[in-house]
Protein backbone atom coordinates (compact mmCIF):
# COMPACT_ATOMS: atom_id res chain seq x y z
CA UNK A 1 0.00 0.00 0.00
CA UNK A 2 2.85 2.37 0.90
CA UNK A 3 4.69 1.49 -2.32
CA UNK A 4 1.52 2.16 -4.33
CA UNK A 5 1.20 5.59 -2.66
CA UNK A 6 4.83 6.41 -3.47
CA UNK A 7 4.29 5.46 -7.12
CA UNK A 8 1.09 7.51 -7.17
CA UNK A 9 2.94 10.54 -5.83
CA UNK A 10 5.66 10.05 -8.44
CA UNK A 11 3.00 10.04 -11.15
CA UNK A 12 1.57 13.27 -9.73
CA UNK A 13 5.06 14.78 -9.86
CA UNK A 14 5.38 13.78 -13.53
CA UNK A 15 1.89 15.15 -14.20
CA UNK A 16 2.95 18.47 -12.66
CA UNK A 17 5.97 18.41 -15.00
CA UNK A 18 3.58 17.94 -17.96
CA UNK A 19 1.57 20.89 -16.62
CA UNK A 20 4.80 22.93 -16.54
CA UNK A 21 5.49 22.02 -20.19
CA UNK A 22 1.91 22.85 -21.22
CA UNK A 23 2.26 26.33 -19.72
CA UNK A 24 5.63 26.75 -21.40
CA UNK A 25 4.17 26.01 -24.86
CA UNK A 26 1.14 28.19 -24.16
CA UNK A 27 3.25 31.28 -23.44
CA UNK A 28 6.47 30.80 -25.43
CA UNK A 29 4.80 30.76 -28.85
CA UNK A 30 4.31 33.19 -30.39
CA UNK A 31 5.09 35.67 -27.60
CA UNK A 32 8.80 35.02 -27.03
CA UNK A 33 9.71 34.41 -30.70
CA UNK A 34 7.23 36.65 -32.53
CA UNK A 35 9.93 38.33 -34.67
CA UNK A 36 11.78 35.06 -35.36
CA UNK A 37 8.62 33.36 -36.61
CA UNK A 38 7.64 36.37 -38.69
CA UNK A 39 11.06 36.63 -40.34
CA UNK A 40 11.54 32.90 -40.92
CA UNK A 41 8.03 32.11 -42.18
CA UNK A 42 7.53 35.44 -44.02
CA UNK A 43 4.04 35.88 -42.55
CA UNK A 44 2.01 38.90 -41.46
CA UNK A 45 0.84 39.46 -37.88
CA UNK A 46 -2.57 37.67 -38.12
CA UNK A 47 -0.87 34.41 -39.11
CA UNK A 48 1.65 34.68 -36.25
CA UNK A 49 -0.91 35.51 -33.55
CA UNK A 50 -2.97 32.53 -34.75
CA UNK A 51 -0.28 30.24 -33.28
CA UNK A 52 -1.37 31.46 -29.85
CA UNK A 53 -5.07 31.69 -30.65
CA UNK A 54 -5.38 28.09 -31.88
CA UNK A 55 -3.81 26.78 -28.67
CA UNK A 56 -6.25 28.86 -26.61
CA UNK A 57 -9.37 27.86 -28.58
CA UNK A 58 -8.64 24.12 -28.27
CA UNK A 59 -7.61 24.50 -24.62
CA UNK A 60 -10.80 26.43 -23.87
CA UNK A 61 -13.24 24.03 -25.53
CA UNK A 62 -11.65 21.05 -23.80
CA UNK A 63 -12.26 22.64 -20.38
CA UNK A 64 -15.96 21.86 -20.87
CA UNK A 65 -15.39 18.11 -21.26
CA UNK A 66 -12.19 17.36 -19.34
CA UNK A 67 -14.00 17.17 -15.99
CA UNK A 68 -16.31 14.46 -17.34
CA UNK A 69 -13.29 12.59 -18.77
CA UNK A 70 -11.51 12.70 -15.41
CA UNK A 71 -14.60 11.43 -13.56
CA UNK A 72 -15.12 8.64 -16.10
CA UNK A 73 -11.56 7.44 -16.79
CA UNK A 74 -9.59 8.73 -13.80
CA UNK A 75 -6.90 11.40 -13.70
CA UNK A 76 -3.96 9.10 -14.43
CA UNK A 77 -5.40 7.79 -17.71
CA UNK A 78 -6.26 11.33 -18.82
CA UNK A 79 -2.77 12.61 -17.93
CA UNK A 80 -1.10 9.78 -19.87
CA UNK A 81 -3.23 10.60 -22.92
CA UNK A 82 -2.46 14.30 -22.53
CA UNK A 83 1.27 13.61 -22.22
CA UNK A 84 1.31 11.59 -25.45
CA UNK A 85 -0.60 14.28 -27.38
CA UNK A 86 1.61 17.03 -25.90
CA UNK A 87 4.75 15.16 -26.95
CA UNK A 88 3.44 14.66 -30.50
CA UNK A 89 2.57 18.35 -30.87
CA UNK A 90 5.90 19.42 -29.42
CA UNK A 91 7.75 17.10 -31.83
CA UNK A 92 5.78 18.09 -34.92
CA UNK A 93 5.84 21.88 -34.54
CA UNK A 94 9.59 22.50 -35.09
CA UNK A 95 9.97 19.86 -37.83
CA UNK A 96 8.02 21.74 -40.50
CA UNK A 97 7.60 25.18 -42.08
CA UNK A 98 4.21 24.30 -43.54
CA UNK A 99 1.85 26.74 -41.83
CA UNK A 100 -1.14 24.37 -41.79
CA UNK A 101 0.89 21.56 -40.21
CA UNK A 102 2.28 24.02 -37.66
CA UNK A 103 -1.27 25.11 -36.80
CA UNK A 104 -2.22 21.44 -36.41
CA UNK A 105 0.74 20.94 -34.08
CA UNK A 106 -0.40 23.89 -31.97
CA UNK A 107 -3.88 22.37 -31.82
CA UNK A 108 -2.32 19.13 -30.53
CA UNK A 109 -0.39 21.10 -27.91
CA UNK A 110 -3.59 22.85 -26.80
CA UNK A 111 -5.47 19.55 -26.62
CA UNK A 112 -2.76 17.74 -24.70
CA UNK A 113 -2.03 20.72 -22.45
CA UNK A 114 -5.67 20.98 -21.36
CA UNK A 115 -5.67 17.53 -19.75
CA UNK A 116 -3.51 18.12 -16.68
CA UNK A 117 -5.07 20.77 -14.42
CA UNK A 118 -8.26 18.94 -13.38
CA UNK A 119 -6.53 15.55 -13.56
CA UNK A 120 -3.89 16.68 -11.08
CA UNK A 121 -6.50 18.12 -8.71
CA UNK A 122 -8.37 14.77 -8.82
CA UNK A 123 -5.24 12.70 -8.13
CA UNK A 124 -3.90 15.01 -5.43
CA UNK A 125 -7.28 14.76 -3.71
CA UNK A 126 -6.85 10.98 -3.62
CA UNK A 127 -3.35 11.10 -2.10
CA UNK A 128 -3.25 13.89 0.47
CA UNK A 129 -5.28 14.73 3.55
CA UNK A 130 -7.74 17.62 3.78
CA UNK A 131 -5.19 19.45 5.93
CA UNK A 132 -2.53 19.36 3.19
CA UNK A 133 -4.82 19.60 0.15
CA UNK A 134 -4.61 23.39 -0.22
CA UNK A 135 -0.83 23.38 0.10
CA UNK A 136 -0.50 20.59 -2.47
CA UNK A 137 -2.71 22.49 -4.95
CA UNK A 138 -0.75 25.71 -4.47
CA UNK A 139 2.51 23.84 -5.16
CA UNK A 140 0.99 22.32 -8.30
CA UNK A 141 -0.16 25.75 -9.51
CA UNK A 142 3.27 27.25 -8.86
CA UNK A 143 4.92 24.48 -10.91
CA UNK A 144 2.54 25.31 -13.76
CA UNK A 145 3.24 29.05 -13.52
CA UNK A 146 6.97 28.24 -13.54
CA UNK A 147 6.46 27.02 -17.10
CA UNK A 148 5.30 30.52 -17.99
CA UNK A 149 8.35 32.03 -16.30
CA UNK A 150 10.67 29.72 -18.28
CA UNK A 151 8.87 30.59 -21.53
CA UNK A 152 10.25 34.13 -21.65
CA UNK A 153 13.62 35.24 -20.25
CA UNK A 154 15.18 31.74 -19.87
CA UNK A 155 13.86 30.69 -23.30
CA UNK A 156 15.16 33.86 -24.98
CA UNK A 157 18.51 33.45 -23.20
CA UNK A 158 18.82 29.86 -24.49
CA UNK A 159 18.17 31.11 -28.04
CA UNK A 160 21.60 32.76 -27.97
CA UNK A 161 23.15 29.29 -28.13
CA UNK A 162 20.78 27.34 -30.37
CA UNK A 163 17.99 27.72 -32.91
CA UNK A 164 14.41 27.81 -31.57
CA UNK A 165 13.58 24.65 -33.53
CA UNK A 166 16.46 22.77 -31.90
CA UNK A 167 15.37 23.92 -28.47
CA UNK A 168 11.74 22.87 -28.99
CA UNK A 169 12.97 19.48 -30.28
CA UNK A 170 15.00 19.00 -27.10
CA UNK A 171 11.89 19.81 -25.05
CA UNK A 172 9.93 17.31 -27.19
CA UNK A 173 12.56 14.64 -26.45
CA UNK A 174 12.34 15.33 -22.71
CA UNK A 175 8.54 15.12 -22.94
CA UNK A 176 8.72 11.74 -24.70
CA UNK A 177 11.06 10.41 -22.01
CA UNK A 178 8.71 11.65 -19.27
CA UNK A 179 5.70 10.05 -21.01
CA UNK A 180 7.56 6.73 -21.29
CA UNK A 181 8.45 6.80 -17.58
CA UNK A 182 4.85 7.73 -16.73
CA UNK A 183 3.52 4.78 -18.75
CA UNK A 184 5.94 2.30 -17.15
CA UNK A 185 4.94 3.46 -13.64
CA UNK A 186 1.20 3.48 -14.44
CA UNK A 187 1.44 -0.21 -15.35
CA UNK A 188 2.48 -0.93 -11.75
CA UNK A 189 -0.35 1.07 -10.18
CA UNK A 190 -3.88 -0.22 -9.61
CA UNK A 191 -6.13 2.04 -11.63
CA UNK A 192 -9.80 2.59 -10.73
CA UNK A 193 -12.45 0.99 -12.90
CA UNK A 194 -13.82 3.10 -15.74
CA UNK A 195 -17.06 4.67 -14.50
CA UNK A 196 -19.42 4.17 -17.44
CA UNK A 197 -22.23 5.92 -15.56
CA UNK A 198 -20.49 9.27 -15.98
CA UNK A 199 -21.75 10.93 -19.15
CA UNK A 200 -21.76 14.39 -20.68
CA UNK A 201 -25.01 16.20 -19.80
CA UNK A 202 -26.18 19.68 -20.71
CA UNK A 203 -28.39 20.22 -17.64
CA UNK A 204 -25.57 21.37 -15.25
CA UNK A 205 -24.35 23.87 -17.86
CA UNK A 206 -27.85 25.23 -18.42
CA UNK A 207 -28.51 25.62 -14.69
CA UNK A 208 -25.21 27.44 -14.11
CA UNK A 209 -25.69 29.80 -17.06
CA UNK A 210 -29.31 30.48 -16.08
CA UNK A 211 -28.12 32.47 -13.04
CA UNK A 212 -27.59 36.13 -13.86
CA UNK A 213 -24.92 36.50 -11.18
CA UNK A 214 -22.91 33.71 -12.81
CA UNK A 215 -23.15 35.34 -16.23
CA UNK A 216 -21.98 38.68 -14.84
CA UNK A 217 -19.11 37.01 -12.99
CA UNK A 218 -17.99 35.07 -16.08
CA UNK A 219 -18.12 38.25 -18.20
CA UNK A 220 -16.06 40.20 -15.69
CA UNK A 221 -13.56 37.38 -15.15
CA UNK A 222 -12.90 36.56 -18.81
CA UNK A 223 -12.24 40.23 -19.64
CA UNK A 224 -9.96 40.72 -16.65
CA UNK A 225 -7.95 37.56 -17.34
CA UNK A 226 -8.11 37.77 -21.14
CA UNK A 227 -6.52 41.22 -21.41
CA UNK A 228 -3.61 40.39 -19.11
CA UNK A 229 -2.96 36.94 -20.57
CA UNK A 230 -3.09 38.16 -24.18
CA UNK A 231 -0.41 40.70 -23.29
CA UNK A 232 1.65 38.00 -21.58
CA UNK A 233 1.36 35.28 -24.21
CA UNK A 234 0.94 37.05 -27.55
CA UNK A 235 1.71 40.73 -27.89
CA UNK A 236 3.42 42.09 -24.75
CA UNK A 237 7.05 41.31 -25.63
CA UNK A 238 6.70 42.54 -29.22
CA UNK A 239 5.00 45.74 -28.01
CA UNK A 240 7.75 46.53 -25.50
CA UNK A 241 10.35 46.07 -28.23
CA UNK A 242 8.54 48.10 -30.91
CA UNK A 243 7.05 50.94 -28.88
CA UNK A 244 9.23 51.17 -25.76
CA UNK A 245 12.48 50.39 -27.62
CA UNK A 246 13.38 47.62 -25.17
CA UNK A 247 15.88 44.93 -26.11
CA UNK A 248 14.69 41.36 -26.63
CA UNK A 249 16.34 40.25 -23.38
CA UNK A 250 14.85 43.07 -21.31
CA UNK A 251 11.34 42.66 -22.73
CA UNK A 252 11.52 38.90 -22.14
CA UNK A 253 12.58 39.56 -18.55
CA UNK A 254 9.54 41.82 -18.05
CA UNK A 255 7.26 39.05 -19.31
CA UNK A 256 8.92 36.51 -16.99
CA UNK A 257 8.40 38.92 -14.09
CA UNK A 258 4.73 39.10 -15.09
CA UNK A 259 4.56 35.30 -14.83
CA UNK A 260 6.21 35.39 -11.38
CA UNK A 261 3.74 38.05 -10.21
CA UNK A 262 0.82 36.03 -11.58
CA UNK A 263 2.12 32.97 -9.70
CA UNK A 264 2.34 34.63 -6.30
CA UNK A 265 -0.58 37.05 -6.49
CA UNK A 266 -3.25 34.34 -6.29
CA UNK A 267 -2.01 33.83 -2.73
CA UNK A 268 -1.54 37.56 -2.06
CA UNK A 269 -4.98 38.50 -3.42
CA UNK A 270 -6.64 35.77 -1.37
CA UNK A 271 -4.80 36.96 1.77
CA UNK A 272 -5.66 40.63 1.17
CA UNK A 273 -9.28 39.69 0.57
CA UNK A 274 -9.32 37.78 3.85
CA UNK A 275 -7.87 40.80 5.66
CA UNK A 276 -10.73 42.82 4.13
CA UNK A 277 -13.21 40.45 5.86
CA UNK A 278 -13.73 38.40 2.66
CA UNK A 279 -15.65 41.14 0.86
CA UNK A 280 -14.91 39.28 -2.37
CA UNK A 281 -17.30 41.14 -4.65
CA UNK A 282 -15.96 44.51 -3.50
CA UNK A 283 -12.44 43.22 -4.18
CA UNK A 284 -13.45 42.19 -7.72
CA UNK A 285 -14.98 45.60 -8.35
CA UNK A 286 -11.72 47.26 -7.27
CA UNK A 287 -9.84 44.98 -9.68
CA UNK A 288 -12.03 46.16 -12.58
CA UNK A 289 -11.18 49.78 -11.73
CA UNK A 290 -7.45 48.96 -11.73
CA UNK A 291 -7.76 47.33 -15.17
CA UNK A 292 -9.62 50.38 -16.53
CA UNK A 293 -7.10 52.91 -15.19
CA UNK A 294 -4.10 50.84 -16.32
CA UNK A 295 -5.33 50.59 -19.91
CA UNK A 296 -6.37 54.25 -19.96
CA UNK A 297 -2.77 55.22 -19.08
CA UNK A 298 -1.34 52.94 -21.80
CA UNK A 299 -3.74 54.38 -24.40
CA UNK A 300 -2.78 57.95 -23.39
CA UNK A 301 0.91 57.04 -23.79
CA UNK A 302 0.19 55.62 -27.23
CA UNK A 303 -1.97 58.57 -28.33
CA UNK A 304 0.68 61.13 -27.33
CA UNK A 305 3.57 58.85 -28.37
CA UNK A 306 5.05 58.75 -24.85
CA UNK A 307 7.55 55.88 -24.99
CA UNK A 308 8.09 55.17 -21.32
CA UNK A 309 9.19 52.14 -19.30
CA UNK A 310 6.26 52.92 -16.99
CA UNK A 311 4.24 50.70 -19.35
CA UNK A 312 6.29 47.68 -18.22
CA UNK A 313 5.27 48.43 -14.62
CA UNK A 314 1.63 48.69 -15.70
CA UNK A 315 1.94 45.26 -17.37
CA UNK A 316 3.11 43.84 -14.02
CA UNK A 317 0.17 45.51 -12.25
CA UNK A 318 -2.22 43.91 -14.75
CA UNK A 319 -0.62 40.49 -14.15
CA UNK A 320 -1.18 40.72 -10.41
CA UNK A 321 -4.65 42.20 -10.86
CA UNK A 322 -5.71 39.27 -13.11
CA UNK A 323 -4.63 36.58 -10.61
CA UNK A 324 -8.04 36.24 -9.01
CA UNK A 325 -8.73 32.50 -9.26
CA UNK A 326 -8.33 32.12 -5.50
CA UNK A 327 -11.22 34.60 -5.08
CA UNK A 328 -13.37 33.69 -8.08
CA UNK A 329 -13.55 29.95 -7.29
CA UNK A 330 -14.85 30.47 -3.72
CA UNK A 331 -17.47 32.91 -5.08
CA UNK A 332 -18.63 30.27 -7.57
CA UNK A 333 -18.83 27.69 -4.79
CA UNK A 334 -20.89 30.09 -2.68
CA UNK A 335 -23.27 31.02 -5.50
CA UNK A 336 -23.91 27.53 -6.90
CA UNK A 337 -25.10 24.24 -5.47
CA UNK A 338 -22.27 21.87 -4.58
CA UNK A 339 -23.12 19.41 -7.36
CA UNK A 340 -22.82 22.18 -9.99
CA UNK A 341 -19.84 24.14 -8.63
CA UNK A 342 -17.35 22.06 -10.63
CA UNK A 343 -19.29 22.78 -13.82
CA UNK A 344 -19.26 26.49 -12.96
CA UNK A 345 -15.46 26.44 -12.61
CA UNK A 346 -15.05 24.60 -15.92
CA UNK A 347 -17.25 27.21 -17.66
CA UNK A 348 -15.13 29.99 -16.15
CA UNK A 349 -11.93 28.31 -17.41
CA UNK A 350 -13.54 28.00 -20.85
CA UNK A 351 -14.36 31.72 -20.81
CA UNK A 352 -10.80 32.59 -19.74
CA UNK A 353 -9.03 30.92 -22.62
CA UNK A 354 -11.70 31.51 -25.24
CA UNK A 355 -11.32 35.24 -24.57
CA UNK A 356 -7.53 34.98 -24.95
CA UNK A 357 -8.02 33.15 -28.24
CA UNK A 358 -10.45 35.79 -29.49
CA UNK A 359 -8.20 38.67 -28.43
CA UNK A 360 -5.18 36.97 -30.00
CA UNK A 361 -6.97 36.67 -33.34
CA UNK A 362 -8.26 40.26 -33.18
CA UNK A 363 -4.80 41.56 -32.21
CA UNK A 364 -3.23 40.08 -35.34
CA UNK A 365 -5.75 41.77 -37.62
CA UNK A 366 -5.59 45.13 -35.80
CA UNK A 367 -1.79 45.22 -36.05
CA UNK A 368 -2.15 44.95 -39.81
CA UNK A 369 -4.55 47.91 -40.11
CA UNK A 370 -1.51 50.20 -40.48
CA UNK A 371 1.46 49.09 -42.55
CA UNK A 372 4.50 48.14 -40.43
CA UNK A 373 7.98 49.50 -41.05
CA UNK A 374 10.71 47.04 -41.98
CA UNK A 375 13.87 47.53 -39.92
CA UNK A 376 16.46 45.05 -41.12
CA UNK A 377 14.75 41.66 -40.99
CA UNK A 378 12.14 42.77 -38.44
CA UNK A 379 8.69 44.27 -38.97
CA UNK A 380 8.11 47.12 -36.50
CA UNK A 381 4.49 48.14 -35.89
CA UNK A 382 3.59 51.79 -35.35
CA UNK A 383 1.97 53.44 -32.36
CA UNK A 384 -1.23 53.65 -34.43
CA UNK A 385 -1.35 49.86 -34.75
CA UNK A 386 -0.77 49.39 -31.05
CA UNK A 387 -3.32 52.09 -30.22
CA UNK A 388 -5.88 50.03 -32.17
CA UNK A 389 -4.95 46.93 -30.14
CA UNK A 390 -4.89 48.60 -26.74
CA UNK A 391 -7.96 50.63 -27.65
CA UNK A 392 -9.75 47.29 -28.03
CA UNK A 393 -8.43 46.24 -24.61
CA UNK A 394 -9.61 49.57 -23.15
CA UNK A 395 -13.13 49.15 -24.52
CA UNK A 396 -13.17 45.65 -23.07
CA UNK A 397 -12.11 47.05 -19.69
CA UNK A 398 -15.16 49.35 -19.82
CA UNK A 399 -17.36 46.30 -20.32
CA UNK A 400 -15.50 44.54 -17.48
CA UNK A 401 -16.12 47.53 -15.21
CA UNK A 402 -19.82 47.55 -16.12
CA UNK A 403 -20.20 43.82 -15.38
CA UNK A 404 -18.25 44.09 -12.13
CA UNK A 405 -20.56 46.84 -10.87
CA UNK A 406 -23.54 44.55 -11.50
CA UNK A 407 -22.12 41.90 -9.15
CA UNK A 408 -23.92 41.66 -5.83
CA UNK A 409 -22.86 40.64 -2.33
CA UNK A 410 -26.30 39.05 -2.01
CA UNK A 411 -25.76 35.66 -3.58
Amino acid sequence: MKKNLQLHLLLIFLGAFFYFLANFHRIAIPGAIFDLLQHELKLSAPYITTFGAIFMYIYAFNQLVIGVMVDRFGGLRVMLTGGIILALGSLLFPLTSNILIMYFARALLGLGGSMFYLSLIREIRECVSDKDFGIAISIMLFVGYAGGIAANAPFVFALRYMNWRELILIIAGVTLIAVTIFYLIVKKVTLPEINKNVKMRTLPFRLVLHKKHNRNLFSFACCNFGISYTIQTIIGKKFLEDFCYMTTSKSAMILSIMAVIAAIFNIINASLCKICHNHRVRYLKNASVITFISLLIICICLFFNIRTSLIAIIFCVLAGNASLTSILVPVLHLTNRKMFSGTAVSIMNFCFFMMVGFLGTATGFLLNVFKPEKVGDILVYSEKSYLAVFGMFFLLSLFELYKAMKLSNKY
Side-chain angles (χ1 to χ4, degrees):
M1 187 71 178
K2 185 178 180 180
K3 182 181 178 181
N4 198 57
L5 178 61
Q6 290 174 340
L7 292 175
H8 208 149
L9 290 172
L10 183 56
L11 288 170
I12 289 173
F13 172 79
L14 286 169
F17 178 64
F18 292 143
Y19 186 46
F20 168 93
L21 293 171
N23 278 277
F24 175 88
H25 286 293
R26 190 164 66 192
I27 291 178
I29 298 168
I33 56 172
F34 194 106
D35 285 333
L36 289 174
L37 288 170
Q38 196 164 47
H39 169 63
E40 186 176 317
L41 301 173
K42 303 292 188 280
L43 296 171
S44 60
Y47 292 98
I48 301 301
T49 57
T50 298
F51 285 126
I54 284 178
F55 188 109
M56 299 301 176
Y57 288 138
I58 300 298
Y59 194 99
F61 275 113
N62 215 33
Q63 295 306 302
L64 299 177
V65 299
I66 197 67
V68 176
M69 290 175 60
V70 170
D71 288 340
R72 184 179 176 90
F73 299 105
L76 295 179
R77 291 189 182 95
V78 174
M79 279 194 284
L80 177 59
T81 304
I84 293 170
I85 297 172
L86 189 75
L88 289 174
S90 183
L91 186 63
L92 181 60
F93 186 78
L95 289 178
T96 180
S97 292
N98 183 295
I99 189 66
L100 292 179
I101 298 176
M102 294 180 83
Y103 285 159
F104 176 68
R106 288 294 291 174
L108 288 177
L109 287 165
L111 180 62
S114 67
M115 295 187 179
F116 304 116
Y117 176 75
L118 291 176
S119 298
L120 282 166
I121 290 177
R122 168 68 176 267
E123 295 307 316
I124 290 171
R125 195 75 188 87
E126 296 292 323
C127 289
V128 303
S129 64
D130 291 339
K131 180 180 66 175
D132 299 324
F133 183 58
I135 296 173
I137 292 295
S138 64
I139 293 171
M140 180 206 84
L141 288 172
F142 186 82
V143 170
Y145 278 114
I149 297 168
N152 278 295
F155 183 42
V156 170
F157 178 79
L159 292 176
R160 296 179 184 178
Y161 304 98
M162 66 182 72
N163 183 275
W164 71 267
R165 293 181 183 272
E166 296 171 343
L167 194 53
I168 297 295
L169 279 173
I170 291 172
I171 293 171
V174 172
T175 308
L176 283 169
I177 292 170
V179 169
T180 302
I181 296 171
F182 193 98
Y183 171 72
L184 293 174
I185 297 174
V186 159
K187 289 175 66 177
K188 299 180 180 180
V189 174
T190 304
L191 296 174
E193 293 291 325
I194 296 175
N195 189 349
K196 296 181 180 180
N197 293 322
V198 176
K199 297 178 181 178
M200 191 75 181
R201 296 185 301 132
T202 61
L203 180 61
F205 293 94
R206 285 189 280 118
L207 289 175
V208 169
L209 292 172
H210 181 71
K211 295 189 67 172
K212 188 174 182 179
H213 186 275
N214 285 340
R215 296 197 302 272
N216 287 331
L217 189 68
F218 294 151
S219 298
F220 154 80
C222 74
C223 293
N224 180 269
F225 177 86
I227 293 168
S228 174
Y229 212 67
T230 302
I231 291 171
Q232 189 179 343
T233 61
I234 295 174
I235 198 60
K237 180 175 175 290
K238 176 67 173 165
F239 171 72
L240 291 173
E241 291 169 6
D242 287 359
F243 183 73
C244 299
Y245 298 142
M246 287 189 182
T247 63
T248 295
S249 299
K250 189 173 181 180
S251 59
M253 181 60 70
I254 296 298
L255 272 292
S256 283
I257 291 171
M258 283 182 70
V260 172
I261 290 171
I264 63 176
F265 256 75
N266 261 309
I267 299 171
I268 292 175
N269 282 329
S271 301
L272 289 175
C273 189
K274 187 175 181 180
I275 292 171
C276 298
H277 307 290
N278 280 328
H279 292 306
R280 297 184 179 93
V281 169
R282 186 185 304 169
Y283 202 91
L284 297 178
K285 290 179 179 180
N286 291 339
S288 70
V289 174
I290 292 171
T291 303
F292 172 78
I293 293 173
S294 297
L295 288 164
L296 177 61
I297 293 172
I298 293 175
C299 286
I300 290 172
C301 289
L302 282 163
F303 186 80
F304 292 103
N305 201 19
I306 304 170
R307 299 174 186 263
T308 171
S309 57
L310 171 66
I311 292 174
I313 298 174
I314 294 173
F315 279 5
C316 293
V317 170
L318 286 170
N321 192 56
S323 297
L324 297 173
T325 304
S326 56
I327 297 174
L328 291 166
V329 171
V331 170
L332 286 174
H333 278 267
L334 284 169
T335 55
N336 294 275
R337 291 164 59 186
K338 185 177 180 180
M339 63 188 299
F340 299 130
S341 58
T343 300
V345 173
S346 71
I347 293 173
M348 184 176 71
N349 285 340
F350 165 80
C351 293
F352 278 169
F353 295 104
M354 183 56 65
M355 178 58 78
V356 178
F358 168 75
L359 292 178
T361 300
T363 293
F365 284 102
L366 288 172
L367 283 177
N368 256 21
V369 170
F370 300 97
K371 188 176 180 180
E373 177 187 356
K374 192 165 186 179
V375 180
D377 294 328
I378 297 172
L379 291 177
V380 176
Y381 295 91
S382 69
E383 67 276 8
K384 292 180 180 178
S385 295
Y386 285 115
L387 183 58
V389 172
F390 281 89
M392 172 183 66
F393 293 161
F394 176 70
L395 291 176
L396 203 60
S397 75
L398 277 173
F399 179 72
E400 173 191 332
L401 185 64
Y402 169 72
K403 285 296 182 180
M405 295 308 159
K406 291 179 77 67
L407 295 175
S408 173
N409 283 306
K410 297 178 180 179
Y411 303 133

